[in-house]
Amino acid sequence: MNLISELGTWLHDVFVAQFDGWILLGFLAQGMFTMRFVVQWLASERAKRSVVPVAFWFFSLGGGALLLIYAIQRQDPVFIAGQGLGLFIYIRNLWLIANERRAAMADAE
């Protein structure tokens, strides 16, 4: 019975007592980051093959940027390094997609 009480106290301390705007931002960021997998899964199901839609990279960039802000505020070096590196990858993929579209438009003219 004591274990259940301690678990209840811990859950309250973690999810309720410390809730503030930063926690809300962290959850929003994590939600955006998670959406990238949802859009990738739905696009793949529709195509009946593995597909990575452009929205995947935009959700990655938005969620990653917000998570980086959150990690900086929390002063978490592991989280900062991971999200910081990820942003370069997301931007590079969006850059490659934009270049490919520009080249396709130029070829069509």
Side-chain angles (χ1 to χ4, degrees):
M1 189 63 167
N2 191 28
L3 182 62
I4 293 173
S5 176
E6 288 178 17
L7 178 61
T9 301
W10 181 83
L11 288 170
H12 180 270
D13 290 347
V14 170
F15 289 98
V16 178
Q18 69 173 345
F19 192 85
D20 61 8
W22 285 108
I23 299 290
L24 184 61
L25 175 71
F27 275 117
L28 173 68
Q30 191 60 52
M32 287 183 67
F33 207 64
T34 300
M35 281 304 298
R36 67 196 193 128
F37 293 113
V38 173
V39 298
Q40 190 276 328
W41 171 54
L42 293 173
S44 294
E45 288 295 327
R46 284 190 192 119
K48 303 292 186 215
R49 63 182 180 83
S50 182
V51 174
V52 180
V54 175
F56 176 92
W57 299 112
F58 280 109
F59 276 114
S60 296
L61 183 60
L66 289 176
L67 284 170
L68 178 60
I69 291 167
Y70 179 78
I72 290 169
Q73 194 279 332
R74 293 289 178 183
Q75 299 180 6
D76 185 324
V78 174
F79 207 13
I80 291 168
Q83 292 304 319
L85 177 60
L87 291 178
F88 289 108
I89 295 167
Y90 311 144
I91 291 168
R92 179 62 176 151
N93 276 286
L94 286 167
W95 185 272
L96 292 170
I97 291 166
N99 285 344
E100 184 178 330
R101 289 185 176 177
R102 275 193 289 270
M105 289 175 62
D107 289 345
E109 292 177 353

